[in-house]
Amino acid sequence: MSRAWIGLGGNLDEPATRLRRTLARLDQLPDTRVIRHSALYGSRPVGPADQPDFINAAAELETELTPLTLLDELQRLENEAGRVRTRHWGERTLDLDILLFDDRVVHETRLRIPHPELEHRGFVLVPLAEIAPALCLPDGRRVDHLRAACDATAVWYHGPAEAEGESH
Ligand code: ROI
């Protein structure tokens, strides 16, 4: 049994609703359950500024899948969300990134763990630090320390991940 930390993001077609739905879908993946997830955060786009603000979140999974089979499942969910990806660093319906997987280091063509941009990105570190402040990267650095050192000025609390009257 492994622990995986996932980053969720999107800025097209009602991203808050989509991220809420995606958290429920993650819990239905084979041999996988969601242990905890963050609130939803709004964030200014990293990349071209002439695109909508993003919604971001993070989730902790317990899974029997390997990193690559988990990646396959996440890409299936992205495709089911009718993933649209227009330009480099542009708008998209749904992004699901494996941020950390136990304390493993993976360097495959398709997959790098820890996620190479993790340590720089407020929109990843703010939700991740909400659910796993004491989590350490394989090199020993703590998530809450990285969060304190990053520029999180363009990230704000959007709301709970559970819609009114809904529970996951
Ligand atoms: N910017 C923000 N704020 N949030 C994201 O999830 C995000 N994802 C991306 C790029 C386009 C780099 N910018 C982002 O892939």
Side-chain angles (χ1 to χ4, degrees), residues 9-10 43-47 51 54-56 89-90 92 95 121 123:
S43 61
R44 297 244 179 285
V46 170
Q51 57 179 320
F54 278 77
I55 300 290
N56 286 105
W89 281 21
R92 66 243 356 247
D95 242 349
R121 291 186 161 172
F123 68 79

Side-chain angles (χ1 to χ4, degrees), residues 5 11 15 22 26 32 38 46 72 78 89 92 102 129 131 138 150:
W5 287 265
N11 67 344
T22 302
L26 287 173
T32 300
S38 71
V46 170
D72 288 338
E78 289 177 342
W89 281 21
R92 66 243 356 247
D102 291 334
I131 61 168
C150 81

Side-chain angles (χ1 to χ4, degrees), residues 2 6 10-11 15 17 22 28 31 37 58 61-63 67 70 80 83 90 98 104 112 118 125 138 141 160 164-165:
S2 297
I6 308 298
N11 67 344
T17 305
T22 302
Q28 294 160 358
D31 302 321
H37 60 73
L61 310 182
E62 186 177 69
T63 186
L70 178 59
E80 279 175 17
R83 177 169 168 131
I98 302 175
R104 294 175 59 169
R112 289 182 60 191
L118 161 66
L125 288 168
R141 289 179 298 163
E164 289 277 302

Side-chain angles (χ1 to χ4, degrees), residues 10-11 17 20 33 47 53 57 62-63 66-68 81 87 107-108 158:
N11 67 344
T17 305
R20 290 188 175 109
R33 64 194 180 98
D53 289 342
E62 186 177 69
T63 186
T66 65
L68 282 171
R87 48 185 167 157
H107 278 259
E108 307 257 0
H158 175 85

